[in-house]
Amino acid sequence: LEVGLKSNGQRTVLRSTRADVEGGDGVTLEPGAVIVVSGGARGVTASTLKALAASHKPRLLLLGRTPLQDEPEVCKGMTTDAELKRALLMDAKAKGQKITPAKLGSQVRRVLAGREIRDNLAALRAAGAVDVRYLAVDVRDASALDSQFRTVRQQWGPIRGIIHGAGVLADKLIAAKTDDHFDRVFGTKIGGLKALLEATSNDPLALLVLFSSVAARSGNNGQSDYAMANETLNKVGALEARRRGATCLVKSLGWGPWEGGMVTPALKARFEALGVALIPHVVGAQMMVEELIDGASNRIELVLGAEPARRALLAAGEAPQEAFDIIVTAQDHPYLVDHSIRNKPVVPVVLVLEWFARAATAMVPDMELVACSDVKVRKGILLENFHGRGDRFEVHAKQLSNGNGVVLGLELRSDDGRVHYVGKAEMAPKAPEAPVSKASAGSLTDYDGPLYNTTTLFHGPDFQVIRSLAGISNTGIEGELEGARAQSWESHGQWRTDVAAMDGGLQLAVLWTRHMLGGDSLPTGVGSYKTYSTGLLSGAIKCTIQGQTVGRSKMVCDVAFTSPDGRLLAEMNNVETHLLPS
């Protein structure tokens, strides 16, 4: 999303990296140090302050928008929204007053907000704060802040820290945004920070904490202004850290979504469906305190909760999707001549996996393909126009979820719209480390049947990649393969997988199916394909088939491709083969 270009041509991009809290220099604050907190009387900011009160014993000046007033006597003892509305409505009628539903709702919100503020003030004192004071003020008003801060300094001493947690939302798509929406969102975050810094310009600040959002890093549907405000917050934080140096610890904390607060039950369910973890209040509070005690001072902009998504989270009904064209001709895919049945080239399932991998990488270019899963053959493909104008297909990719990684739904369609293959692609920020293979084909006996030029393996020279067989058993088969590089396929595409080697693995699965069921078969599905290397493979490739289940006309097995040192190069799990009609 962000690219830096220097005058010498150097290109720089940002990458998220895990940063554990350990061995940092932290912040030194004396007990009773005065900390000003915007938005600190309610919500998630108040949750973090309870942990801070216990660890640092500060004096806290909390700034908020809600005037703290005594609630009406009729509300005492009422707890639910319905009870409060009923009590206020009856009171208004008793006084001969008319009250609209909107005004009634506003009164209830004020009562509940006041209760939350009082409860939090008491909780902060109980947690260890030396003193706590609440001030109803517009955080954007530098003049009002300056006036109030003078009184605080006289009574408590100089201000030693700022925690800027105030923020408002006005979620709407850009087309529906108004200037007022933008001004409220941006003004509270950035105008508020500007006013706080101006009003404390002569104070010896040792701490500046800015409550940013993961939306600043990856954006979010409906939150263009909120993302802009928080990203500006991040950059001001970086500037302040450089300007103030070692005398002040600066942190811009890009929070992920918290449990409760602005996250409604419906929104929580949506986050969970997208694979986005919510931050429990106790955990989030401890995270901030640990950052202030042990966090490294040179780590200013942080994302907390989960690794930021590489793309904005999905809005309801607005999943990103793209389509990619494929034209298969004899000129571009000459090797398919050797994958023919009755002189008609047939698209192998491993080539579909290759196309799925290319489409996924094209749609999410800053992530690595981890796996293709649930790959099913809806209808096999005979290339009717292979030697002429070619056969045209489309890979349709649709984003299904976007948490720490991205999951795509995939379909391969012919130009008449018929779906031939379906599957999913799982993308992650980096490829997993290659594990040591544990695959075993059991106690092997010699395989004495023919390999190629039979009805079982009909493959021509370009697909004849089985170099030797170690043996076969009732639980599997094992052999040595060559890949596409040995078959001189390099010039036929920017390969994401080794189609030749993968097909060799399926050929072994077909041989094992014949051994077990006594007939010819074809692969019909792949439960999952996992890759631990990108592109074509080199050298000898050991392939082990490990059988799972046996049916009357169907076999299921796992296929492992390993390097000479025993590391997995790729694996296909739950590979299905079905007997052909006799």
Side-chain angles (χ1 to χ4, degrees):
L1 297 179
E2 297 178 44
V3 179
L5 300 174
K6 294 187 176 180
S7 59
N8 62 3
Q10 180 181 343
R11 181 178 187 271
T12 303
V13 296
L14 299 180
R15 176 168 293 140
S16 300
T17 58
R18 181 179 176 86
D20 293 326
V21 180
E22 53 184 23
D25 31 19
V27 62
T28 301
L29 286 173
E30 64 279 5
V34 181
I35 300 178
V36 175
V37 188
S38 69
R42 300 177 62 195
V44 299
T45 312
S47 296
T48 62
L49 293 183
K50 293 169 189 175
L52 180 67
S55 63
H56 286 74
K57 315 296 183 188
R59 287 185 170 89
L60 296 172
L61 176 63
L62 310 184
L63 312 178
R65 293 172 295 169
T66 305
L68 195 56
Q69 302 169 341
D70 293 333
E71 65 182 58
E73 193 66 31
V74 295
C75 294
K76 300 293 174 63
M78 306 298 172
T79 57
T80 68
D81 182 86
E83 288 174 343
L84 288 167
K85 284 181 178 177
R86 189 181 304 113
L88 289 169
L89 182 61
M90 296 297 293
D91 184 56
K93 286 182 177 180
K95 295 176 180 177
Q97 300 171 346
K98 290 185 177 181
I99 186 169
T100 64
K103 187 174 181 181
L104 189 63
S106 177
Q107 288 183 357
V108 169
R109 286 192 294 274
R110 280 200 300 272
V111 169
L112 293 175
R115 290 179 179 179
E116 183 183 359
I117 292 171
R118 292 185 183 88
D119 288 346
N120 283 330
L121 295 178
L124 290 171
R125 294 188 183 97
V130 173
D131 204 347
V132 184
R133 186 178 301 176
Y134 176 75
L135 178 63
V137 66
D138 185 346
V139 72
R140 299 170 295 182
D141 189 340
S143 176
L145 293 179
D146 185 59
S147 174
Q148 295 292 340
F149 289 176
R150 281 199 296 269
T151 302
V152 169
R153 293 185 191 98
Q154 291 170 0
Q155 298 175 353
W156 284 356
I159 295 170
R160 298 282 284 136
I162 294 174
I163 299 177
H164 182 37
V168 296
L169 293 175
D171 290 2
K172 289 183 181 295
L173 298 180
I174 291 174
K177 287 280 186 186
T178 66
D179 288 350
D180 179 62
H181 293 145
F182 179 88
D183 290 342
R184 282 191 291 119
V185 173
F186 204 83
T188 302
K189 281 281 184 186
I190 305 309
L193 176 59
K194 184 173 185 289
L196 286 167
L197 292 176
E198 288 178 358
T200 58
S201 58
N202 294 319
D203 285 289
L205 293 185
L207 178 67
L208 175 60
V209 178
L210 311 177
F211 273 36
S212 184
S213 167
V214 67
R217 181 97 319 272
S218 55
N220 203 6
N221 292 75
Q223 292 189 331
S224 55
D225 44 13
Y226 189 69
M228 293 164 68
N230 283 295
E231 176 61 355
T232 304
L233 212 64
N234 293 339
K235 295 302 179 276
V236 173
L239 182 64
E240 288 295 316
R242 176 176 292 185
R243 187 170 71 85
R244 295 174 185 270
T247 62
C248 183
L249 180 69
V250 181
K251 295 288 178 179
S252 192
L253 305 180
W255 296 106
W258 288 63
E259 286 184 352
M262 295 180 181
V263 178
T264 63
L267 190 55
K268 178 181 179 181
R270 183 176 146 224
F271 279 133
E272 289 175 345
L274 294 172
V276 178
L278 300 181
I279 304 172
H281 279 235
V282 174
V283 174
Q286 191 60 34
M287 289 170 76
M288 188 189 81
V289 169
E290 288 176 356
E291 196 62 49
L292 302 188
I293 295 174
D294 291 324
S297 59
N298 62 341
R299 292 174 178 169
I300 298 149
E301 181 180 346
L302 299 165
V303 173
L304 299 96
E307 184 167 351
R310 301 301 179 95
R311 294 189 176 195
L313 297 176
L314 299 184
E318 293 190 6
Q321 51 189 319
E322 296 181 31
F324 302 92
D325 289 328
I326 300 166
I327 298 178
V328 183
T329 66
Q331 181 179 355
D332 295 327
H333 301 74
Y335 47 88
L336 290 180
V337 170
D338 290 330
H339 196 270
S340 297
I341 297 177
R342 301 187 187 94
N343 297 318
K344 285 286 182 71
V346 177
V347 174
V349 64
V350 288
L351 185 56
V352 176
L353 283 171
E354 167 70 17
W355 291 341
F356 280 177
R358 293 187 192 187
T361 305
M363 188 165 176
V364 192
D366 54 352
M367 286 195 179
E368 298 292 337
L369 176 70
V370 173
C372 283
S373 59
D374 300 329
V375 178
K376 296 291 185 183
V377 183
R378 293 283 178 84
K379 185 173 180 57
I381 302 174
L382 286 174
L383 299 173
E384 300 287 352
N385 303 298
F386 183 67
H387 295 286
R389 58 183 171 81
D391 296 88
R392 182 178 176 274
F393 303 94
E394 287 184 347
V395 177
H396 286 253
K398 181 178 182 179
Q399 185 173 310
L400 301 180
S401 68
N402 181 28
N404 294 337
V406 172
V407 178
L408 304 174
L410 300 163
E411 291 184 351
L412 178 67
R413 304 177 189 175
S414 53
D415 59 359
D416 61 1
R418 182 180 302 179
V419 177
H420 289 271
Y421 285 81
V422 297
K424 296 177 182 177
E426 299 172 24
M427 312 295 289
K430 63 179 182 179
E433 295 290 332
V436 175
S437 175
K438 297 180 180 179
S440 172
S443 298
L444 301 175
T445 60
D446 291 340
Y447 179 85
D448 54 7
L451 283 179
Y452 295 107
N453 302 318
T454 68
T455 57
T456 304
L457 295 185
F458 54 86
H459 308 74
D462 263 350
F463 277 85
Q464 293 179 1
V465 295
I466 301 175
R467 288 293 165 258
S468 63
L469 285 177
I472 195 166
S473 72
N474 287 344
T475 57
I477 187 172
E478 189 171 287
E480 185 177 293
L481 310 175
E482 287 184 345
R485 181 171 281 114
Q487 302 297 90
S488 301
W489 291 16
E490 292 103 322
S491 61
H492 301 311
Q494 296 295 318
W495 299 99
R496 303 295 305 176
T497 68
D498 196 313
V499 171
M502 300 303 114
D503 197 76
L506 296 186
Q507 293 172 30
L508 290 180
V510 167
L511 287 177
W512 183 66
T513 301
R514 182 169 186 83
H515 173 76
M516 298 298 293
L517 300 182
D520 296 335
S521 64
L522 282 177
T524 55
V526 178
S528 68
Y529 163 73
K530 298 179 181 178
T531 178
Y532 304 99
S533 61
T534 300
L536 302 183
L537 305 177
S538 299
I541 304 158
K542 178 182 174 183
C543 183
T544 304
I545 303 293
Q546 185 169 327
Q548 287 188 358
T549 60
V550 178
R552 294 179 60 186
S553 61
K554 171 185 170 182
M555 303 291 290
V556 179
C557 65
D558 294 332
V559 185
F561 303 88
T562 57
S563 62
D565 64 356
R567 293 281 172 181
L568 272 173
L569 301 169
E571 57 184 324
M572 290 189 279
N573 297 316
N574 295 319
V575 173
E576 297 180 4
T577 53
H578 277 83
L579 286 180
L580 295 170
S582 58

